[in-house]
Amino acid sequence: MFSDSPNNPSASPPECWTAREAELLAVTLRLLQTHGYDRLTVEAVASEAKASKATMYRRWPSKADLVLAAFIHGTKESAVAPRTGSLRGDLLAIGASVCQSLREHTSTMRAVLNEMSHSSALSAAMQDNFVHHRNVLMNEVLCEAVERGEIDAGVINPEIWDTLPGYLVFRSMVADRPPTEETVSMLVDEVLLPSLQRTRS
Amino acid sequence: MFSDSPNNPSASPPECWTAREAELLAVTLRLLQTHGYDRLTVEAVASEAKASKATMYRRWPSKADLVLAAFIHGTKESAVAPRTGSLRGDLLAIGASVCQSLREHTSTMRAVLNEMSHSSALSAAMQDNFVHHRNVLMNEVLCEAVERGEIDAGVINPEIWDTLPGYLVFRSMVADRPPTEETVSMLVDEVLLPSLQRTRS
Amino acid sequence: MFSDSPNNPSASPPECWTAREAELLAVTLRLLQTHGYDRLTVEAVASEAKASKATMYRRWPSKADLVLAAFIHGTKESAVAPRTGSLRGDLLAIGASVCQSLREHTSTMRAVLNEMSHSSALSAAMQDNFVHHRNVLMNEVLCEAVERGEIDAGVINPEIWDTLPGYLVFRSMVADRPPTEETVSMLVDEVLLPSLQRTRS
Amino acid sequence: MFSDSPNNPSASPPECWTAREAELLAVTLRLLQTHGYDRLTVEAVASEAKASKATMYRRWPSKADLVLAAFIHGTKESAVAPRTGSLRGDLLAIGASVCQSLREHTSTMRAVLNEMSHSSALSAAMQDNFVHHRNVLMNEVLCEAVERGEIDAGVINPEIWDTLPGYLVFRSMVADRPPTEETVSMLVDEVLLPSLQRTRS
DNA sequence: TCATAAGCGAGACGGTACGTCGTGTCTTACG
DNA sequence: CGTAAGACACGACGTACCGTCTCGCTTATGA
């Protein structure tokens, strides 16, 4: 499905699209949200953007590549560390940010997910561009909380520190019960903080 | 994509397939896990099962309907309450069960997810047949723990009580970091139990 | 296409249909004239006649057999020697009779023609049941004319004595210029009679 | 069956096919002669010609259109006025030419005939491209004979002047008794010439 | 200033899956 | 037992999309 370049797996694409390319990706994103992956056709994107299929395929060798690029393009601007000054504030900020991303890109993410099974490149890209960013954020926030003395360093467990974004993603993508601000605050106050603030066993 | 009957959205399909139909769904499931949604062809399923395309389409009006039916068929038998006697044991059992389901049906679930955007019927079916079952399980387990006096009734919050299955699903489907037994035990011991056993605020 | 029984090519079918079977053939004939061979479906015939497909196929092993039987059934009643008392009258009567048959069964004949390429049985049946009957008629009429002394026996040429019906068939089936009574009289008066009444070379 | 454009029934198609298109039609014609209309599949034509179904359907919107085009393509090159110098020679030449066409295209013509019932376009095309050409030929030949003084202008009757090709077609397509050279000479010598050379009544 | 090239739109192409429909066989249940 | 009803395997139909490819046409530089 994807155009893997096995000889060059780690070569990250330029990802610095020209204005025209950004426009193509924007159209892709819009149609993707409107119609979903299966009903999205490269031809429709090209037609909508007054481009030709050759132009599309010159940049993104397959439909899946195009969708991935569109997804990355549409999500890369978020994910900046909140720095609210308190662990609770940071967690709430991260939760709000994740909720925002999810609201806009649920359909796209589902499409990308569907293709991850077949493309290690896509899977990796998804990790790097969405999951990993949130992880880094969580890590930063927790480390700062340690520095501030809010929590003990020992309670930070890489295996599960992304419970917050993870659960929110689940709620939005799988459970069809999109998370609200209240969801975030409950998760933070009733699950995460009690867990993080317990005395180390 | 799906054959919605808009006038009758809540009519649940019979879902009591004959042996032959179960066989067709089993073949579908196998090919789905092997090749993924996009590369799955109805003709291949029919051919593999020595059936004809007409037979497939008579039952499931489209490829997406077929995949949904196969998913439901493949996941509906699990999800029985564990009854280990302790909250921790129950939670670990649920976690293990979810992990098992996920290992087998990741690709299928991704395909179904992808289509949920466009079909309320599919979305509802997914909720009923996968998410809701786990929720009911969690609820039962927690209620029993309350009866046993292990936890306070007040800490049970419907908004977030499916954090356990939710996060596991996220790990498997989105984060491409499939959960292990260790993941489950950490989540239970370091997050859920501390949260549930805290004194009510 | 046809159910040839190669070991038994000359076995003529019973052709003595029951009332029910005649009804089925009548329905076939009607649908054939309405929709043509390609658009005729055995299922439609069965449905129209409140019969089942099995009933149809039990009698006529294929669609082509059915159509052939319907054609024979619909044309076998005509073709009786005219005996008008004069060669000219007989020829005009034959011409009129052929025109009548053609008007009713053009579509059917075309359908049967189309299948003749693939079935010697059908081809033979067409010869026996349509072409040959007209030939016998022509022969009788000409012989009687010889007996009456209207023409010389030597001018009767088996190779071409069916020019009259042959040309009329051509006009109706191929040339899409259906023959009229005038066509017949012109052919008789300006071509056939001059040819038949010439002195033997 | 056919793609009639009812608003534009008399618009003759370009009929100036490219080399590639001629090749596709040639393959069609060959398979048609080999297997007949019913057993001809568009996919087989495409496969044989290393083309795709889309390419076929882009040009000829249905199987019937394809067959018609192939028939026209395969028969349009013949039918040139013979000019042997005598009426008898011309008639024999026309007869031979018709016999030749029929030998090659019997199956195709039967298929086209079968479809004429449902498509005025096809019917018209058949007239223009096969029947009419022979008629024009006959007319030319007869007029030249008049100029040469061989026959009287009055004996030429448009209603029946195509008796020669008509009867030959009947013999080949309907009577399953393909005309031979002898058939032609008998028809010419014993029927047509006596008729044409008679003194006007 | 013009030509040579590079990128573009348009869209035909080979391929392949879709979903529909008709044939001819078969089974089931009714009378 | 024959029949009506209709499921079934098979396979062709005609449609749509993917990814490749050729065309001209426009620009944008280099002589």
Side-chain angles (χ1 to χ4, degrees), chain D residues 157-180:
Chain D
N157 185 341
E159 181 73 9
I160 52 172
W161 68 23
D162 56 350
T163 308
L164 171 60
Y167 179 68
L168 296 177
V169 167
F170 165 79
R171 283 285 298 270
S172 184
M173 307 254 314
V174 184
D176 225 31
R177 202 159 33 109
T180 65

Side-chain angles (χ1 to χ4, degrees), chain D residues 61-78:
Chain D
S62 77
K63 176 178 166 179
D65 289 285
L66 171 64
V67 168
L68 169 60
F71 169 70
I72 294 177
H73 178 73
T75 54
K76 72 154 169 268
E77 75 286 350
S78 56

Side-chain angles (χ1 to χ4, degrees), chain C residues 113-131:
Chain C
L113 268 196
N114 186 36
E115 297 302 321
M116 282 173 57
S117 311
H118 312 300
S119 164
S120 57
L122 180 50
S123 210
M126 176 65 152
Q127 301 318 309
D128 290 352
N129 287 279
F130 190 83
V131 181

Side-chain angles (χ1 to χ4, degrees), chain C residues 56-135:
Chain C
M56 307 297 296
Y57 281 101
R58 202 173 297 122
R59 284 162 176 71
W60 306 285
S62 78
K63 175 178 167 179
D65 289 288
L66 171 64
V67 168
L68 171 59
F71 170 69
I72 294 176
H73 178 73
T75 54
K76 69 154 172 267
E77 75 286 349
S78 57
V80 283
R83 314 278 173 147
T84 63
S86 76
L87 176 57
R88 183 171 185 277
D90 286 356
L91 291 177
L92 291 176
I94 289 179
S97 158
V98 169
C99 288
Q100 173 64 16
S101 277
L102 288 170
R103 256 191 298 279
E104 291 175 357
H105 300 295
T106 301
S107 184
T108 312
M109 281 190 68
R110 282 177 175 158
V112 175
L113 268 196
N114 186 36
E115 297 302 321
M116 282 173 57
S117 311
H118 312 300
S119 164
S120 57
L122 180 50
S123 210
M126 176 65 152
Q127 301 318 309
D128 290 352
N129 287 279
F130 190 83
V131 181
H132 185 56
H133 279 186
R134 316 292 159 174
N135 271 0

Side-chain angles (χ1 to χ4, degrees), chain D residues 35-72:
Chain D
H35 303 101
Y37 182 85
D38 284 39
R39 291 208 239 285
L40 172 76
T41 69
V42 178
E43 198 145 15
V45 175
S47 165
E48 185 102 354
K50 284 288 179 195
S52 80
K53 288 208 299 174
T55 301
M56 306 298 297
Y57 282 101
R58 203 173 296 122
R59 288 167 172 67
W60 305 285
S62 77
K63 176 178 166 179
D65 289 285
L66 171 64
V67 168
L68 169 60
F71 169 70
I72 294 177

Side-chain angles (χ1 to χ4, degrees), chain A residues 71-86:
Chain A
F71 170 69
I72 294 176
H73 178 73
T75 55
K76 71 155 172 265
E77 75 287 350
S78 57
V80 283
R83 315 279 174 145
T84 64
S86 77

Side-chain angles (χ1 to χ4, degrees), chain A residues 20-37 39-57 59-60 62-64 66-67 70:
Chain A
R20 177 58 163 158
E21 286 159 344
E23 182 188 342
L24 297 177
L25 292 179
V27 171
T28 303
L29 217 45
R30 181 160 49 78
L31 294 182
L32 200 51
Q33 286 155 13
T34 311
H35 302 103
Y37 183 85
R39 287 207 248 276
L40 172 75
T41 68
V42 179
E43 199 145 13
V45 175
S47 163
E48 186 101 354
K50 283 289 179 192
S52 85
K53 290 207 300 173
T55 303
M56 306 296 297
Y57 282 101
R59 285 163 176 70
W60 306 286
S62 77
K63 175 178 168 178
L66 171 64
V67 168

Side-chain angles (χ1 to χ4, degrees), chain A residues 137-155:
Chain A
L137 240 64
M138 281 298 297
N139 195 27
E140 286 178 21
V141 160
L142 292 175
C143 288
E144 286 167 18
V146 169
E147 287 173 11
R148 279 192 302 262
E150 291 188 71
I151 59 172
D152 191 280
V155 300

